Amino acid sequence: MVTSKNNAFLMDPGGVELFSAMLANVIKEVPVEKITHIFASHQDPDVISSLGLWDQALTTATLHSPWIWEGFIRHFGMNNITYSPIPDEGGSIQLDEVSLQYIPAHYLHSSGNHNIYDPKAKILMSGDIGAALEEPEAPLFVEDFEQHIPKMKMFHQRWMPSNRAKNDWVARVRKLDIEMMCPQHGRIFRGDDVKKFLDWFEALEVGILAG
Amino acid sequence: MSDSTNYFVAAAVIAAKLDRATKVSQRLSLTASNARVVVLRAGESAAGFRPLTDAIHSLADITVSSSKRINTIAATLSKTSVQMFRADRALKYFLDVYARAKGSPNLASLDESFERTKAEYERLSTLYRKQVKNLGDELSSIESELRSAVILKTLCETEATRAKGEYREAFISVSRNVESTAREIKELIGYSRRQVEILK
Ligand SMILES: [Fe+2]
Ligand SMILES: [Fe+2]
């Protein structure tokens, strides 16, 4: 979650089963009415199936998500929240003093997918990119990049279908100044590990039946 | 009211049964039309049968239109019950948040959402009760209409015995059709009535 003076921007709020834990944690930080924006990087249930409940908690919020998923995401239940479609080429959103950018990450893994980049904090919220399959008690940060590779490899090869889209993303992200890259699952990449990840990912062949 | 998982399933089941009842009623119309053709062919010997075909027709019309109407009510009820379930579920989640974030100074900010959802739940449950009652009333009225089917069947049989030999068989089959379709509709209605009891 990113908070600005009057607004809170909640990213990939998660599945139905996590709703009360998520809202309880959010409420510890900000009052409910401050949550004015929700972002769903893509349509997956682990990203946004809690929408039907958020919709009853927040009546005036806006959901930002790739335009191609509007019809899909509505199935999670959306009567009050407004859908704001993000175009394929991305864009940005200004919340009081905070400015965030939508970085296109299509086909990684979802065919309509965006990352969030905070240029001031130099953080990239990379969604499923850089995600690792490991126990929930795993440490917060990547400690040894080489050792972390086996936990990421199969997921990236099996879930992500396009080398072209992948390399396109790597080129785009290389231009950003990133201090931390935070995937939705797994560990956070810091400093040099961000570059190591980009190099590794660029060289990786995806779209194969690995695993 | 019954537990939350059963009630909207029951409403959906009723809607499905009523959809079936509409189709069966349409078959009754067909029976009436067939009977009319036989009456025309049979001429004078079937004079007594003519008013009966009219009666079959009007019974068919009544059951078709009323089962369609009931079907609409049941479908609306099914929708209401799903919305009610959603509101009910949200309330349970909110209560869970109250427990989990206990002591947080922002917790009161959830009150508005909670109260609104609760008001919505109450509105839906009033609507729900109204729709259930409405459905029950409609079902009883179609049930009493269907009682005339038994009389119709008996009258048809009596007339059939008066008809000339070659037409007798056709009239007997008409009376059987009236009886069997009416019985089928009755069963569907009876089943729906028992489901409505669950909803209350
Ligand atoms: Fe995903
Ligand atoms: Fe994911």
Side-chain angles (χ1 to χ4, degrees):
Chain A
M1 183 172 63
V2 174
T3 52
S4 64
K5 189 166 173 283
N6 300 311
N7 298 279
F9 184 85
L10 189 59
M11 291 175 280
D12 290 349
V16 177
E17 74 289 354
L18 284 178
F19 174 79
S20 32
M22 184 63 84
L23 179 56
N25 283 332
V26 166
I27 265 187
K28 286 174 192 165
E29 311 259 333
V30 296
V32 175
E33 66 272 11
K34 207 176 161 182
I35 312 162
T36 47
H37 298 272
I38 298 176
F39 167 76
S41 59
H42 61 290
Q43 84 296 2
D44 271 350
D46 68 328
V47 167
I48 190 66
S49 67
S50 56
L51 181 65
L53 292 161
W54 290 105
D55 189 71
Q56 294 181 73
L58 323 167
T59 50
T60 55
T62 303
L63 173 69
H64 305 267
S65 201
W67 70 270
I68 66 165
W69 299 127
E70 179 163 356
F72 280 65
I73 283 180
R74 285 188 182 277
H75 290 288
F76 290 128
M78 206 178 85
N79 300 318
N80 301 311
I81 290 176
T82 313
Y83 196 95
S84 167
I86 304 173
D88 283 343
E89 62 275 19
S92 64
I93 179 170
Q94 187 72 39
L95 299 165
D96 310 312
E97 74 284 10
V98 179
S99 156
L100 299 171
Q101 291 170 16
Y102 301 126
I103 309 295
H106 308 304
Y107 299 99
L108 301 170
H109 65 92
S110 170
S111 43
N113 187 39
H114 292 276
N115 297 157
I116 295 278
Y117 177 60
D118 182 336
K120 216 164 152 194
K122 299 183 181 170
I123 293 174
L124 180 73
M125 304 297 294
S126 61
D128 282 324
I129 306 169
L133 303 174
E134 60 181 336
E135 338 65 73
E137 314 85 57
L140 196 57
F141 294 100
V142 173
E143 308 292 352
D144 181 331
F145 186 79
E146 290 303 318
Q147 268 187 24
H148 195 56
I149 290 175
K151 293 172 189 138
M152 307 189 287
K153 195 174 171 195
M154 189 276 270
F155 175 75
H156 288 77
Q157 291 187 309
R158 183 66 181 85
W159 262 265
M160 301 186 178
S162 164
N163 285 309
R164 196 170 133 191
K166 174 199 61 143
N167 292 338
D168 187 50
W169 177 85
V170 171
R172 187 162 36 253
V173 169
R174 280 197 196 282
K175 290 181 201 142
L176 305 173
D177 182 6
I178 299 168
E179 264 169 23
M180 258 198 263
M181 180 179 123
C182 314
Q184 185 203 10
H185 335 259
R187 305 191 197 180
I188 296 172
F189 299 81
R190 282 178 298 190
D192 217 28
D193 284 338
V194 177
K195 194 187 168 296
K196 280 187 195 159
F197 176 81
L198 295 176
D199 292 343
W200 170 78
F201 194 36
E202 190 164 38
L204 184 74
E205 194 192 350
V206 299
I208 55 175
L209 276 170
Chain B
M1 190 185 18
S2 62
D3 70 280
S4 62
T5 46
N6 259 336
Y7 64 82
F8 69 87
V9 175
V13 168
I14 294 173
K17 292 281 172 199
L18 265 297
D19 193 43
R20 176 100 198 95
T22 310
K23 296 212 171 79
V24 177
S25 311
Q26 278 156 353
R27 222 166 67 212
L28 193 60
S29 291
L30 199 67
T31 298
S33 302
N34 288 342
R36 256 183 199 162
V37 174
V38 181
V39 165
L40 279 177
R41 287 220 200 104
E44 261 322 292
S45 81
F49 215 97
R50 197 168 301 135
L52 292 180
T53 63
D54 291 339
I56 300 170
H57 245 305
S58 71
L59 178 65
D61 287 348
I62 288 170
T63 50
V64 169
S65 67
S66 115
S67 59
K68 268 189 185 155
R69 202 168 51 240
I70 299 175
N71 196 0
T72 312
I73 301 173
T76 317
L77 177 69
S78 176
K79 223 162 122 189
T80 308
S81 63
V82 171
Q83 287 173 338
M84 199 167 87
F85 170 74
R86 284 181 110 145
D88 189 33
R89 188 180 67 153
L91 288 176
K92 289 196 179 103
Y93 274 100
F94 292 163
L95 288 174
D96 194 23
V97 173
Y98 279 114
R100 283 169 188 259
K102 206 170 179 172
S104 156
N106 293 322
L107 202 50
S109 71
L110 189 59
D111 293 354
E112 198 198 313
S113 303
F114 185 84
E115 290 308 324
R116 186 188 49 242
T117 309
K118 204 171 138 200
E120 176 67 358
Y121 175 79
E122 268 145 26
R123 183 188 72 82
L124 287 165
S125 68
T126 309
L127 186 66
Y128 172 88
R129 277 193 300 273
K130 219 167 91 190
Q131 285 167 349
V132 168
K133 187 184 175 301
N134 206 346
L135 185 62
D137 292 351
E138 288 280 350
L139 286 169
S140 332
S141 88
I142 190 172
E143 238 175 2
S144 62
E145 290 288 347
L146 281 168
R147 265 177 223 131
S148 68
V150 184
I151 306 162
L152 258 180
K153 184 229 169 194
T154 318
L155 291 175
C156 286
E157 275 170 350
T158 316
E159 283 304 320
T161 56
R162 285 189 200 148
K164 266 196 237 144
E166 47 187 313
Y167 297 111
R168 190 168 299 154
E169 211 32 61
F171 286 134
I172 287 172
S173 112
V174 167
S175 67
R176 271 201 215 106
N177 276 345
V178 170
E179 205 237 341
S180 69
T181 38
R183 197 185 333 110
E184 207 177 323
I185 298 170
K186 238 185 205 158
E187 271 161 24
L188 292 165
I189 300 296
Y191 184 87
S192 302
R193 288 253 279 170
R194 286 191 296 280
Q195 292 288 309
V196 170
E197 286 310 308
I198 296 178
L199 297 180
K200 283 174 181 165

